[in-house]
Amino acid sequence: MRYFLVLPLLAVACNDPAPSANDGPDTPPGTTIPAEEAILIHPIQHSAFAITWNEQHILVDPHGAGELYTSLPVADLVLITDIHGDHLDTTTLRALDLAHTKLIVPQAVMELLPIDMRAICVVLANGTSTEQKGIGIEAIPMYNMPDPDDPRHPKGRGNGYVLTLGDRRVYISGDTEDIPEMRALRNIDMAFVCMNEPYTMSVEQAASAVLEFKPRVVHPYHYRGKDGFSDVERFMRLVHESDPAIEVRLLEWYPE
């Protein structure tokens, strides 16, 4: 299992280093910087990852196969962003221990879940929020711009999320273009931003949005598209050349 310790202003790999736009002599690779209530990130695949904070364990969009999750702690919260199979995977959910778990979902996801799982759901519509187990959760719109010929992600169906973990705010984009609601975000310490045309947005769109809402740390994720992988190295260059204060972290989202 590979975890990464991510702090508001600095991200350093606990094991093998991940490339960073801001790595330098003061941040030697492979070190850990202790901090109270550190945020640990474990990329699993594509849109799926785990967050550990303050002894709380969060899974985002678990999918792919139950064995990918057997080495992880039991989740306190599972966030699901949309109805597509790389976000909602009931077979994988069945493989998890959900006895003490809350599922945070949009209405469209809840309607597709088995009856027993609906009983542990907290349903959020865009613009609403909840607090669960000491963690604030805001549902942020995620959608493609209006196009009657391509309604892959209509507005209101899915959720991005902003998590409040102590005094830090973490944004998870879900499947979206560089929508006004993303660009209007403020005070984001860490962001997970998708980029896979034609399903979400291009590298250039993602970089432009990030440069507007200015997260302290950004993780490109969900970047496998119709024709292969998006150029996340280019994304890192576009962001760093315009605003080197934004740290871009490239983690392993597609293990062989």
Side-chain angles (χ1 to χ4, degrees):
M1 185 189 307
R2 180 171 299 174
Y3 273 94
F4 294 86
L5 173 62
V6 185
L7 310 180
L9 293 175
L10 187 62
V12 179
C14 292
N15 296 307
D16 296 337
S20 166
N22 290 348
D23 281 342
D26 295 328
T27 58
T31 62
T32 322
I33 299 177
E36 293 183 3
E37 298 183 348
I39 301 170
L40 291 169
I41 305 300
H42 175 55
I44 299 169
Q45 65 170 11
H46 190 54
S47 57
F49 61 101
I51 301 173
T52 294
W53 169 82
N54 198 26
E55 300 184 351
Q56 300 288 331
H57 304 291
I58 304 164
L59 277 180
V60 178
D61 286 339
H63 70 277
E67 56 265 28
L68 294 173
Y69 304 87
T70 55
S71 63
L72 297 175
V74 173
D76 297 284
L77 299 173
V78 172
L79 309 181
I80 301 176
T81 60
D82 198 18
I83 64 173
H84 292 156
D86 55 344
H87 304 282
L88 171 60
D89 180 348
T90 54
T91 301
T92 296
L93 288 174
R94 279 280 183 225
L96 303 178
D97 179 356
L98 300 177
H100 303 287
T101 303
K102 287 289 187 183
L103 305 181
I104 312 301
V105 302
Q107 179 71 25
V109 167
M110 193 274 289
E111 292 172 357
L112 295 176
L113 288 171
I115 295 296
D116 60 317
M117 290 187 189
R118 295 183 190 181
I120 61 172
C121 283
V122 176
V123 176
L124 292 182
N126 291 174
T128 65
S129 62
T130 184
E131 183 173 315
Q132 300 291 327
K133 306 187 180 186
I135 295 170
I137 307 167
E138 304 167 53
I140 307 299
M142 49 146 277
Y143 57 93
N144 294 116
M145 298 298 187
D147 180 349
D149 298 320
D150 185 15
R152 286 191 179 97
H153 304 105
K155 187 174 183 179
R157 187 184 72 193
N159 289 334
Y161 295 102
V162 170
L163 308 182
T164 299
L165 307 176
D167 61 354
R168 305 176 199 173
R169 285 162 48 83
V170 177
Y171 170 57
I172 301 161
S173 74
D175 282 6
T176 189
E177 286 190 58
D178 53 327
I179 57 176
E181 294 89 342
M182 178 196 293
R183 290 177 173 273
L185 292 169
R186 295 295 179 264
N187 302 316
I188 299 296
D189 295 292
M190 185 192 312
F192 295 83
V193 175
C194 64
M195 52 194 79
N196 63 330
E197 283 189 307
Y199 308 114
T200 61
M201 57 181 157
S202 68
V203 163
E204 290 75 16
Q205 286 175 293
S208 174
V210 163
L211 288 167
E212 186 160 344
F213 76 86
K214 297 185 182 300
R216 296 183 179 186
V217 175
V218 59
H219 299 272
Y221 87 132
H222 197 293
Y223 55 82
R224 181 178 55 212
K226 184 177 180 180
D227 299 317
F229 298 108
S230 296
D231 188 347
V232 292
E233 296 278 355
R234 173 169 168 74
F235 170 81
M236 184 165 66
R237 289 194 302 273
L238 288 171
V239 171
H240 190 232
E241 287 169 2
S242 295
D243 190 345
I246 300 173
E247 183 178 8
V248 179
R249 300 297 300 180
L250 304 183
L251 305 185
E252 292 183 14
W253 295 97
Y254 300 96
E256 295 180 1

